[in-house]
Structures are given as structure tokens and as C-alpha cells.
């Protein structure tokens, strides 16, 4: 940045020094990218998934990069485990400023072929998990008087229908709706709640479809930018929502989808 004098208002900052961030589902893919970028901007980060060994490994990598991270295992579908994740974060770092509800899964099946168990597995992770994570973090933020940030990872699939992933799309649309209601309930405490709707970004969640050249081409053709996204580009959107620079945004969703849903 350029050193300037006599600027008549505070310059927006993305600096997260002194902030504590939990990112669920951050041992790989988009969540890992978010953890690295938030740590690079000064946040102390909590890496999470269902495997303590994976959490420890990614946290160690971030510490080796010069950031500050710990790993805490929790299954986002289980209230006791999510509450424990938040409680252990407070024990270790003293507070929670930023809660990124990112953990998510997809099961590819037609509506007529999907079992109730498959439906429940997706909705429990992608929608119930966001509710549990946001509620647990918000309770601590409110109790501690922290003007925190709740960032919920939805999907372009939450904005438009997509064949064969009905439970995923329904959950992700629910995440957008949930974020709006949470924004209304948490606003008086200065806590913002927003959703991010990524388009296709190559990770383990979409290896199979992206390996089929015809499908990959169709996905790319649907975007305005005629390309897939990158992990660092999505992390940049989360950084913005986590930072003071987004202070007047709440109850919103940001389509970070290369222009897939703009037509
Ligand atoms: P990924 O499969 O690479 O990573 C998912 C992470 O979530 C992993 O760390 C996994 O261990 C964790 N996880 C899964 N179930 C969990 C549970 N019950 N409890 C705790 N952790 C759990 O997927 P990704 O592409 O990085 O996706 C991250 C989020 O972004 C998901 O919510 C996904 O729906 C969303 N998203 C991804 C894309 C994309 O193109 N990659 C597009 C739109 C939305």
C-alpha cells in the first residue's frame, strides 16, 4: 500500500491480526485454502475435519509457513462435537471472531433414486452442520461482546437447480436463507452473517465430473469467464467477508462462480 497522509476517513483494511478464525472442513480443498489465507492475513486459525491426524498435519503446515494454527477434530453434524470445537477454541485462543462454516459433501443421484439415508447425510452435513456451527459460534460471540463474522459456504447450486444433486442444491439454498435470518437475529450484536456461492473449483468434491472431458467442457461453457475457479480466488472472497472491509454487508450472498449464474 502507498503511505498517504490526511485521508479524511479510515482506510479499509483486510488485516486480521489478533482475530481468531475457525474454518470447518479445512484439511483439504477450499477450506484449507481459506485457513492458509486467513492465517497469512494474521488470524489465528483452527483447522477442522473429522480426523485429528489430518487437522494436526494441516495446522503444522500452516505453522511451518509462519502462521498460527491448531487442529481440532469435530463432525459438523453432531452438536456436542461442534460445541466442543468452539469451546476448545476459546480455551486455547480465548475467543472466536470468525466462523467459516465450510464443511460440505455431495452425493450424485437422481431424486427418484436417492435413499432417505443419502438425503439425510447430505442435508445433515451441508445445512444442519452450518446451523450448528453458526449457532455455537454466535453464542460465544454474543456472550463475549465480539462483533464477529459468520461466513457460510453455500454454492452456485444453491442459486439454480442442478440435475442429480437435489439434496446438495436444497441444502445450499437453505444455507442462503439461514444466513439471511441469522443476519437479522445477530445484527443488533454487530455480528454479520453472509453466504458465499462458489462455482466449480477443482477439489476432491468434484474430481469425478471434472475428469469427464464433455462434462468439464459443459461446466466451463456455462461460466461467463470461460474457466474454472481457483482455491486462492475463493479464499480471497472469504478474506473480504472476514475483514473490516465488509462491515456493511450482512444477510447477503456472493456468487463467486465465474459468472455461472448471472444469465
Ligand atoms: P473437499 O471435499 O475438498 O473438502 C471438504 C472438507 O470438509 C474436507 O476437509 C472434509 O474432511 C470436510 N468434511 C466433510 N464432512 C465433514 C463433517 N461431517 N465434519 C467435519 N468436516 C467434514 O470439498 P471442497 O471443494 O473444498 O468444498 C468445501 C465447501 O465448498 C463445501 O461446502 C462445498 O459444498 C462448497 N463448494 C465447493 C465447490 C467446488 O467446486 N469445489 C463449489 C461450490 C461449493
Amino acid at each position: 500500500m502507498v503511505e498517504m497522509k490526511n485521508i479524511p476517513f479510515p482506510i479499509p483494511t483486510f488485516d486480521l491480526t489478533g482475530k481468531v478464525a475457525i474454518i470447518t472442513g479445512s484439511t483439504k480443498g477450499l477450506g484449507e485454502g481459506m485457513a492458509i489465507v486467513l492465517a497469512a492475513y494474521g488470524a489465528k486459525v483452527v483447522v477442522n475435519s473429522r480426523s485429528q491426524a489430518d487437522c494436526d498435519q494441516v495446522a503444522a503446515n500452516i505453522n511451518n509457513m509462519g502462521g498460527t494454527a491448531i487442529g481440532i477434530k469435530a463432525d459438523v453434524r453432531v452438536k456436542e462435537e461442534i460445541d466442543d470445537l468452539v469451546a476448545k477454541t476459546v480455551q486455547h485462543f480465548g475467543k472466536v471472531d470468525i466462523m467459516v462454516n465450510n464443511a460440505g459433501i455431495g452425493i450424485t443421484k437422481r431424486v427418484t433414486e436417492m435413499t432417505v439415508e443419502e438425503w439425510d447425510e447430505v442435508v445433515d452435513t451441508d445445512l444442519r452442520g452450518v446451523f450448528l456451527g453458526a449457532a455455537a459460534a454466535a453464542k460465544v460471540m454474543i456472550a463475549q461482546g465480539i462483533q464477529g463474522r459468520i461466513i457460510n459456504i453455500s454454492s452456485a447450486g444453491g442459486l439454480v437447480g442442478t440435475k442429480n444433486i437435489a439434496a446438495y442444491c436444497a441444502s445450499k439454498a437453505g444455507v442462503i436463507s439461514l444466513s439471511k435470518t441469522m443476519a437479522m437475529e445477530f445484527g443488533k450484536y454487530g455480528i454479520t452473517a453472509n453466504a458465499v456461492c462458489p462455482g466449480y473449483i477443482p477439489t476432491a468434491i468434484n474430481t469425478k465430473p471434472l475428469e469427464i472431458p464433455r462434462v468439464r467442457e459443459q461446466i466451463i461453457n456455462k461460466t461467463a469467464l470461460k474457466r474454472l475457479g481457483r482455491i486462492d480466488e475463493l479464499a480471497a472472497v472469504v478474506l473480504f467477508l472476514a475483514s473490516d472491509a465488509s462491515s456493511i454487508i450482512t444477510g447477503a450472498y456472493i456468487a463467486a462462480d465465474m459468472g455461472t449464474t448471472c444469465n
Side-chain angles (χ1 to χ4, degrees):
M1 283 184 71
V2 174
E3 287 263 339
M4 287 171 59
K5 278 182 261 167
N6 304 326
I7 300 173
F9 45 75
I11 284 290
T13 172
F14 296 96
D15 185 19
L16 300 178
T17 303
K19 307 276 187 197
V20 176
I22 301 173
I23 304 105
T24 67
S26 47
T27 52
K28 56 182 182 171
L30 303 183
E32 183 183 16
M34 294 167 202
I36 293 170
V37 168
L38 296 191
Y41 273 81
K44 295 169 187 145
V45 300
V46 177
V47 175
N48 158 263
S49 74
R50 284 165 293 178
S51 155
Q52 188 61 48
D54 290 354
C55 293
D56 290 342
Q57 182 60 60
V58 172
N61 292 346
I62 292 173
N63 288 322
N64 286 335
M65 290 173 200
T68 303
I70 58 165
I72 302 175
K73 149 192 146 110
D75 185 330
V76 297
R77 296 170 296 182
V78 183
K79 183 179 184 307
E80 293 71 27
E81 296 194 23
I82 276 282
D83 287 348
D84 187 57
L85 167 67
V86 172
K88 282 184 176 152
T89 301
V90 174
Q91 266 168 30
H92 193 88
F93 287 131
K95 58 177 182 160
V96 182
D97 298 284
I98 299 154
M99 181 72 181
V100 188
N101 294 297
N102 166 74
I105 59 162
I107 294 178
T108 307
K109 282 272 181 86
R110 291 198 189 128
V111 171
T112 47
E113 284 160 8
M114 180 166 264
T115 65
V116 174
E117 291 73 24
E118 288 166 337
W119 171 273
D120 285 347
E121 196 183 338
V122 174
V123 177
D124 283 357
T125 308
D126 294 3
L127 182 54
R128 176 189 161 106
V130 172
F131 154 63
L132 290 175
K139 279 182 209 165
V140 169
M141 290 172 184
I142 291 166
Q144 295 193 328
I146 286 175
Q147 303 205 334
R149 297 278 194 266
I150 309 276
I151 302 164
N152 300 322
I153 306 305
S154 172
S155 168
L159 297 170
V160 292
T162 309
K163 279 182 197 164
N164 303 327
I165 50 169
Y168 182 83
C169 290
S171 303
K172 295 299 189 180
V175 167
I176 295 169
S177 174
L178 180 61
S179 305
K180 290 180 186 177
T181 297
M182 291 194 301
M184 294 173 74
E185 292 188 9
F186 303 159
K188 64 180 173 204
Y189 305 106
I191 299 167
T192 67
N194 292 294
V196 179
C197 302
Y200 276 89
I201 300 172
T203 67
I205 210 171
N206 51 33
T207 310
K208 274 192 192 158
L210 290 178
E211 266 173 359
I212 306 165
R214 181 182 51 83
V215 176
R216 189 185 174 93
E217 202 177 314
Q218 272 174 2
I219 288 167
I220 290 174
N221 269 335
K222 270 195 190 167
T223 67
L225 293 174
K226 302 298 171 207
R227 68 175 177 88
L228 303 173
R230 295 193 317 265
I231 289 172
D232 60 292
E233 292 177 304
L234 203 266
V237 178
V238 171
L239 168 66
F240 168 63
L241 288 176
S243 76
D244 286 349
S246 66
S247 51
I248 59 168
I249 300 178
T250 194
Y253 67 82
I254 298 183
D257 66 356
M258 292 69 71
T260 305
T261 56
C262 65
N263 62 7

